Amino acid sequence: MKVRNLLTKSQKHITPKLNNLLRQLINTDKSKYKNTDVLLEHIINTELAQYQSETLKHCLANFKLIADKLEFTVKFNKKVDGTCALLEQVLANIEAVSVKSIKKHITVYRENPGRINQRTKYSKESKRPSYSKCFDICVDDDLTKVVKVYTSTGKKEHSTAGLRFSLNTSRFTRRELAYVFTHIKSVIGKRYKEIMEKARLTRVDMAFDLYGVSSLFVYTVSRNKKLKGGRVYPEDGEVAETVEHGSHCKLKIYDKLLEVMVKQALGISDKVMATRAEHQNRVKSKVRMKNLEKCTSRLADLAFVDPVDIAVMHKRTVKSLIRNRRGKQVAAAVKRAEGKGNTVNMLRADEALLEKKHRNLLTGLKKIILEPNK
């Protein structure tokens, strides 16, 4: 089900009256939260804090794991003269859908590759693909359901031949993904599975949504010491709507309702509050598609401060955290509260359950990509 529909769906753990009160903290004309003085009084409100605490605990115990952004590359061998027969075959056939059973579902558009090569440096010692063409494989003419395929001929000096795939898997059903990769399989031919098994993963994002939880009540720290630093967005705003732990591979917590409201131009009068926790995993090691399920997820490293414990902190501290809830600032606030003899409860999703769902989800996704006809 699409996020916009889930935001409208009636859910038993959500209290409509209190959800409406939280929703009123958003300035719908400006698509952002109201001033911090108004927000502060609601965050320290005992009834709201208790409600958000119970809702957060419910979400962490009953989360649905989502495979989000997926990017991977395929390398083709070139002949001595610099040409690549397989790449030429792909370019000749990718725009024509030949499999009858998917013809009515798949459309391919040629697009500009944009700035994808902008930061790429080429040398004899470090050969990289130089993407010159891009094709959007679209399902049922829904422009939100697109797999981007970039092609590199390898003709540029010190460049390699191959393909790059980029998609948001959560936007597709399993059947729709099978349509796309059935088409790609027909284009590549008999060696499809062999080639795709060796595809190098470059990004694998995982996430879960906290339906009914306002981001105003979400204050997190990461127990992973490798995730240093981080940012909040907007950086100079009154309210931090997005928080990041780490820089390259990072944990990201952001207001999903605001994102959908802005990107899809939706009214929110019938929507529930929602916050997303996401691990943006830019895969550094050479993990191949055949081992997709072995990609790590850091979502278990996230610890959420219980909203009822935020509510009893000093007003000045809470107001400061509304603007800047980086992990370092949240950890310092927790330490100060504990130093005064207060108990601060840290909430987490079950690590074993996260690992099980992670493995099962990526194993299923891998099967669709490698064997789309089955």
Side-chain angles (χ1 to χ4, degrees):
M1 185 180 287
K2 292 182 179 179
V3 170
R4 61 186 296 171
N5 294 333
L6 283 167
L7 290 173
T8 311
K9 183 182 176 183
S10 175
Q11 301 184 50
K12 291 181 180 179
H13 70 280
I14 294 171
T15 303
K17 178 184 175 181
L18 295 179
N19 184 76
N20 292 343
L21 182 58
L22 292 170
R23 198 167 51 211
Q24 289 168 19
L25 299 178
I26 297 175
N27 184 329
T28 53
D29 293 331
K30 297 181 178 180
S31 298
K32 64 179 185 180
Y33 281 100
K34 296 178 180 178
N35 68 71
T36 51
D37 291 328
V38 173
L39 303 180
L40 175 62
E41 293 307 313
H42 286 78
I43 292 171
I44 64 175
N45 178 280
T46 303
E47 183 183 16
L48 273 178
Q50 187 63 47
Y51 167 62
Q52 288 291 271
S53 174
E54 292 170 359
T55 307
L56 177 57
K57 289 173 183 176
H58 173 89
C59 291
L60 291 175
N62 300 277
F63 66 89
K64 178 183 178 182
L65 196 60
I66 302 163
D68 206 26
K69 191 82 171 180
L70 176 65
E71 293 182 346
F72 56 94
T73 60
V74 173
K75 188 176 179 180
F76 292 156
N77 293 325
K78 293 191 291 184
K79 295 180 181 178
V80 178
D81 62 3
T83 61
C84 176
L86 189 51
L87 196 283
E88 290 171 1
Q89 177 182 313
V90 169
L91 289 172
N93 298 314
I94 193 168
E95 292 180 85
V97 182
S98 60
V99 181
K100 289 183 180 180
S101 61
I102 64 170
K103 261 191 173 183
K104 66 179 181 179
H105 298 290
I106 296 294
T107 309
V108 182
Y109 302 97
R110 184 175 294 197
E111 295 291 339
N112 189 309
R115 300 180 178 182
I116 195 167
N117 303 308
Q118 192 175 26
R119 296 182 181 180
T120 307
K121 296 180 181 180
Y122 303 91
S123 68
K124 189 175 181 180
E125 293 75 27
S126 180
K127 295 182 179 181
R128 305 287 179 83
S130 175
Y131 300 107
S132 55
K133 292 181 180 179
C134 175
F135 300 91
D136 282 1
I137 303 177
C138 182
V139 177
D140 293 328
D141 271 332
D142 184 341
L143 296 180
T144 67
K145 298 181 178 184
V146 170
V147 174
K148 286 188 171 293
V149 182
Y150 299 89
T151 63
S152 172
T153 61
K155 292 180 180 179
K156 180 177 178 175
E157 187 179 15
H158 304 315
S159 69
T160 58
L163 307 174
R164 173 174 172 161
F165 295 83
S166 179
L167 64 150
N168 190 320
T169 62
S170 63
R171 296 178 181 176
F172 299 83
T173 65
R174 294 172 66 89
R175 181 173 291 182
E176 288 167 343
L177 281 174
Y179 291 156
V180 172
F181 287 100
T182 294
H183 172 57
I184 294 168
K185 182 179 179 180
S186 71
V187 171
I188 292 178
K190 293 180 180 179
R191 293 182 58 215
Y192 172 82
K193 186 175 181 181
E194 172 196 344
I195 290 169
M196 295 296 269
E197 280 184 333
K198 295 178 182 177
R200 181 179 177 181
L201 300 164
T202 57
R203 184 165 170 179
V204 183
D205 291 0
M206 306 295 286
F208 56 75
D209 291 320
L210 306 168
Y211 287 105
V213 180
S214 166
S215 64
L216 295 172
F217 291 81
V218 178
Y219 299 86
T220 56
V221 294
S222 169
R223 61 180 180 178
N224 188 333
K225 293 181 180 179
K226 292 182 180 180
L227 295 176
K228 297 179 180 180
R231 294 182 178 182
V232 295
Y233 297 97
E235 292 183 322
D236 299 321
E238 283 202 356
V239 182
E241 297 165 3
T242 298
V243 184
E244 295 179 350
H245 299 277
S247 54
H248 189 65
C249 289
K250 56 193 172 188
L251 288 166
K252 182 177 178 180
I253 300 90
Y254 60 97
D255 197 296
K256 193 63 182 176
L257 179 59
L258 277 184
E259 184 198 53
V260 172
M261 179 183 177
V262 173
K263 288 187 176 181
Q264 300 186 21
L266 290 178
I268 62 169
S269 61
D270 61 342
K271 303 293 186 293
V272 301
M273 305 306 296
T275 301
R276 173 164 288 191
E278 178 177 278
H279 177 215
Q280 292 186 354
N281 185 9
R282 290 171 170 84
V283 186
K284 291 182 179 179
S285 57
K286 293 183 179 180
V287 183
R288 304 297 175 179
M289 181 61 73
K290 64 180 180 180
N291 295 318
L292 175 59
E293 69 278 10
K294 294 182 180 180
C295 280
T296 57
S297 173
R298 298 296 182 191
L299 288 171
D301 294 332
L302 267 182
F304 299 77
V305 183
D306 194 323
V308 296
D309 296 322
I310 290 288
V312 297
M313 290 182 181
H314 194 283
K315 283 187 177 183
R316 188 171 55 214
T317 298
V318 179
K319 195 169 184 177
S320 174
L321 289 177
I322 294 172
R323 291 193 178 97
N324 182 4
R325 63 190 81 176
R326 289 182 177 91
K328 186 177 180 179
Q329 277 69 28
V330 174
V334 169
K335 188 175 181 180
R336 283 197 300 271
E338 291 177 333
K340 294 177 181 179
N342 298 323
T343 300
V344 180
N345 189 23
M346 305 301 289
L347 310 175
R348 291 187 177 90
D350 183 84
E351 189 168 0
L353 184 58
L354 260 173
E355 174 59 31
K356 181 180 178 181
K357 290 189 175 186
H358 174 88
R359 185 174 59 252
N360 291 345
L361 184 57
L362 293 186
T363 299
L365 181 59
K366 178 181 75 172
K367 184 173 177 62
I368 293 172
I369 293 171
L370 295 182
E371 300 175 329
N373 301 115
K374 292 189 177 181

